[in-house]
Amino acid sequence: AGLEDRIRVIRGLAEAPVEETALAPVLHEVAERPQTPMLFEDFLDAVHRKREPLLTQTDIFRVTEIVIRSRESADSGRLLAI
């Protein structure tokens, strides 16, 4: 995955590059947002029912890694591999 794989949603608009090497974005209106699962409630239910929660420990560690590397990238002004 590279920069050309980015999609951003800002104020109801989804932005994605036109082609792999293009930097010009294409804007698409986002009609409706998907229902966000209640992750904490799901976690409690998963503990109670002894099942895997929607957001796994592996997912949590991966998201944390992405956030930390993103912050490092922003602080240094460089692109960093994730």
Side-chain angles (χ1 to χ4, degrees):
L3 290 177
E4 62 276 357
D5 295 330
R6 291 183 304 179
I7 294 178
R8 295 186 306 175
V9 177
I10 302 172
R11 294 189 183 120
L13 294 176
E15 176 182 276
V18 176
E19 53 188 64
E20 288 185 24
T21 57
L23 296 176
V26 175
L27 297 177
H28 301 281
E29 189 169 342
V30 177
E32 61 184 64
R33 295 186 178 127
Q35 182 71 15
T36 304
M38 303 302 287
L39 297 176
F40 185 67
E41 290 174 11
D42 175 72
F43 171 76
L44 293 177
D45 184 65
V47 169
H48 177 72
R49 297 177 191 268
K50 297 181 179 160
R51 65 169 177 81
E52 189 77 13
L54 290 173
L55 193 59
T56 66
Q57 183 178 15
T58 301
D59 296 333
I60 293 167
F61 287 140
R62 180 70 176 137
V63 168
T64 302
E65 176 186 20
I66 290 168
V67 170
I68 290 170
R69 296 293 287 169
S70 297
R71 183 60 195 202
E72 290 173 359
S73 175
D75 288 346
S76 68
R78 296 178 298 135
L79 295 177
L80 300 174
I82 295 178

